[in-house]
């Protein structure tokens, strides 16, 4: 190809793997001047002798330039419409669930040298949130390893749920005839508030291949902490109940106070935002007001005090 000055060269690369193993290639770009002459180079004495990409002539000119780009092809298992493994727990509780995933197309018998080489390449770029590698033996290469991590749809979701989820491998099984590896994980979920978030368990083999499995984390409403009964003093007249609440930690915590959807509008809470004083203190003073607008109806609401840690809820009648 002829490349004009300042022109950009786009080189398409097609990758069509037929097995779940890493493929390696080196793309080489060889550049020479169209007229066959050398490029003049004034700082020949300062030219780095280790610069293998440049070929220098006797007169100090540059004859040709070679660029080499290593390419690693890592196949990903075909996307399947898998039903997400559901991890469900009530807010402010803790649950452990075993999740089994099956890796199909794992290539056994890869030489130890090739596997170790690929393993080093993967580990060199391994994100900090990837879990410890899992070594698989019994029929597979002794250096065949798997790395796994949980990924989320966005950084915002990750920041909300990452500290609430723990995961580690507890069992593995290998079938050398079918090339199938089964991994069983123990997932711990300890949500601090109601939520519904999706995640993806990503497993990568150091011999090549990536498998992805969907997960669904659901946290339901927590148990009601207390029930407050307010007796009306008259139609369109406000009854008030006061109570105090601490942050349950040694430090003050910012909070917001609100009523869940479906609560009667005859209730108000003050303040609607502020700071809960630390545990061991007198606590932060909150007020709930009730002003009924009709007779013959039992009014009900659920008040939520949302802090950075657990959510406290109170039913009001």
């Amino acid at each position: 190809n002829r490349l004009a000055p300042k022109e950009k060269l786009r080189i398409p690369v097609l990758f069509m793997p037929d097995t779940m193993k890493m493929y390696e290639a080196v793309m080489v770009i060889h550049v020479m001047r169209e007229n066959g002459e050398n490029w003049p180079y004034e700082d020949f004495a300062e030219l780095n002798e280790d610069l293998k990409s440049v070929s220098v002539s006797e007169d100090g000119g540059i004859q040709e330039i070679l660029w080499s780009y290593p390419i690693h092809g890592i196949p990903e298992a075909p996307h399947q419409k898998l039903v997400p493994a559901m991890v469900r727990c009530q807010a402010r509780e803790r649950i452990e669930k075993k999740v089994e995933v099956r890796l199909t197309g794992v290539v056994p018998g890869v030489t130890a040298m090739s596997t170790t080489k690929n393993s080093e390449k993967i580990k060199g770029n391994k994100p900090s949130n990837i879990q410890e590698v899992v070594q698989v033996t019994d029929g597979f290469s002794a250096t065949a390893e798997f790395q796994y991590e949980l990924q989320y749809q966005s950084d915002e979701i990750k920041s909300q749920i990452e500290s609430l989820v723990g995961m580690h491998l507890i069992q593995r099984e290998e079938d050398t005839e079918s090339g199938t590896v089964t991994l069983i994980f123990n997932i711990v979920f300890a949500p601090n508030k109601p939520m519904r978030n999706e995640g993806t368990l990503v497993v990568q083999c150091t011999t090549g291949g990536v498998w992805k499995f969907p997960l669904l984390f659901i946290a339901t409403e927590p148990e009601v902490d207390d029930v407050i009964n307010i007796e009306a003093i008259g139609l369109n007249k406000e009854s008030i109940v006061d109570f105090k609440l601490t942050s349950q930690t040694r430090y003050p915590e910012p909070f917001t106070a609100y009523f869940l959807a479906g609560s009667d509008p005859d209730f108000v809470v003050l303040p609607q935002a502020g700071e809960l004083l630390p545990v061991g203190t007198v606590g932060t003073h909150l007020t709930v007001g009730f002003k009924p607008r009709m007779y013959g109806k039992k009014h009900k609401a659920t008040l939520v005090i949302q802090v950075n840690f657990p959510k406290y809820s109170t039913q009001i009648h």
Side-chain angles (χ1 to χ4, degrees):
N1 290 340
R2 184 178 182 274
L3 194 63
K6 304 295 183 179
E7 183 181 355
K8 293 181 179 180
L9 177 63
R10 298 183 181 275
I11 303 176
V13 177
L14 181 63
F15 178 49
M16 299 179 62
D18 55 4
T19 57
M20 294 292 287
K21 67 178 182 180
M22 180 184 285
Y23 295 81
E24 297 180 87
V26 178
M27 181 177 65
V28 179
I29 301 176
H30 182 198
V31 180
M32 299 180 65
R33 296 187 72 172
E34 188 176 24
N35 57 12
E37 298 179 359
N38 297 336
W39 282 285
Y41 192 79
E42 299 178 357
D43 300 326
F44 176 75
E46 298 180 2
L47 187 63
N48 190 342
E49 296 181 356
D50 297 329
L51 195 60
K52 306 297 182 182
S53 61
V54 176
S55 176
V56 182
S57 63
E58 295 181 356
D59 61 0
I62 297 177
Q63 294 177 323
E64 58 184 9
I65 302 175
L66 293 175
W67 284 286
S68 298
Y69 296 92
I71 299 176
H72 299 159
I74 302 177
E76 184 174 319
H79 292 283
Q80 302 176 357
K81 295 183 178 180
L82 299 174
V83 177
M86 183 183 300
V87 184
R88 187 184 183 94
C89 182
Q90 190 175 40
R92 303 211 313 259
E93 298 294 335
R94 180 181 183 273
I95 191 174
E96 294 190 24
K97 181 173 182 177
K98 293 180 176 59
V99 174
E100 178 180 308
V101 299
R102 184 168 297 176
L103 315 181
T104 58
V106 181
V107 181
V110 178
T111 63
M113 180 180 298
S114 173
T115 304
T116 303
K117 181 180 179 182
N118 292 336
S119 174
E120 291 174 354
K121 292 176 180 176
I122 294 177
K123 290 179 182 177
N125 298 321
K126 185 178 71 171
S128 59
N129 59 341
I130 289 186
Q131 303 294 323
E132 292 297 326
V133 294
V134 181
Q135 191 171 42
V136 177
T137 56
D138 299 336
F140 286 78
S141 171
T143 53
E145 297 174 344
F146 293 92
Q147 299 169 345
Y148 58 91
E149 66 172 325
L150 280 174
Q151 295 180 352
Y152 303 97
Q153 293 177 317
S154 67
D155 290 339
E156 181 180 359
I157 294 177
K158 179 181 177 181
S159 64
Q160 294 175 357
I161 195 174
E162 187 175 36
S163 62
L164 311 176
V165 177
M167 179 183 67
H168 67 277
L169 184 80
I170 58 175
Q171 187 176 343
R172 59 183 181 270
E173 299 175 356
E174 303 90 22
D175 187 337
T176 55
E177 294 184 2
S178 64
T180 299
V181 174
T182 300
L183 303 179
I184 301 177
F185 295 90
N186 185 64
I187 295 181
V188 179
F189 184 36
N192 58 7
K193 63 181 179 179
M195 65 177 67
R196 183 186 179 94
N197 288 317
E198 297 179 356
T200 302
L201 171 57
V202 180
V203 181
Q204 180 173 345
C205 182
T206 54
T207 61
V210 174
W211 294 262
K212 296 182 178 181
F213 305 94
L215 298 173
L216 179 59
F217 296 95
I218 298 177
T220 58
E221 290 290 340
E223 292 287 349
V224 173
D225 296 282
D226 195 8
V227 177
I228 299 176
N229 292 307
I230 304 179
E231 184 176 345
I233 60 175
L235 196 63
N236 293 318
K237 295 182 179 180
E238 187 176 36
S239 302
I240 295 176
V241 171
D242 300 308
F243 64 95
K244 295 181 178 180
L245 192 66
T246 65
S247 68
Q248 304 299 303
T249 69
R250 295 180 300 167
Y251 308 98
E253 295 292 342
F255 77 91
T256 55
Y258 60 92
F259 293 99
L260 289 182
S263 298
D264 285 327
D266 299 331
F267 295 95
V268 295
V269 59
L270 292 173
Q272 296 181 353
E275 191 174 71
L276 293 183
L277 296 176
V279 64
T281 66
V282 295
T284 299
H285 182 264
L286 293 101
T287 300
V288 176
F290 171 51
K291 183 187 292 186
R293 293 174 295 175
M294 67 175 64
Y295 290 118
K297 177 185 176 182
K298 186 175 182 179
H299 300 264
K300 184 178 180 180
T302 301
L303 172 64
V304 173
I305 312 298
Q306 178 71 62
V307 294
N308 291 338
F309 292 97
K311 175 194 279 189
Y312 304 94
S313 60
T314 301
Q315 284 196 350
I316 303 173
H317 305 277

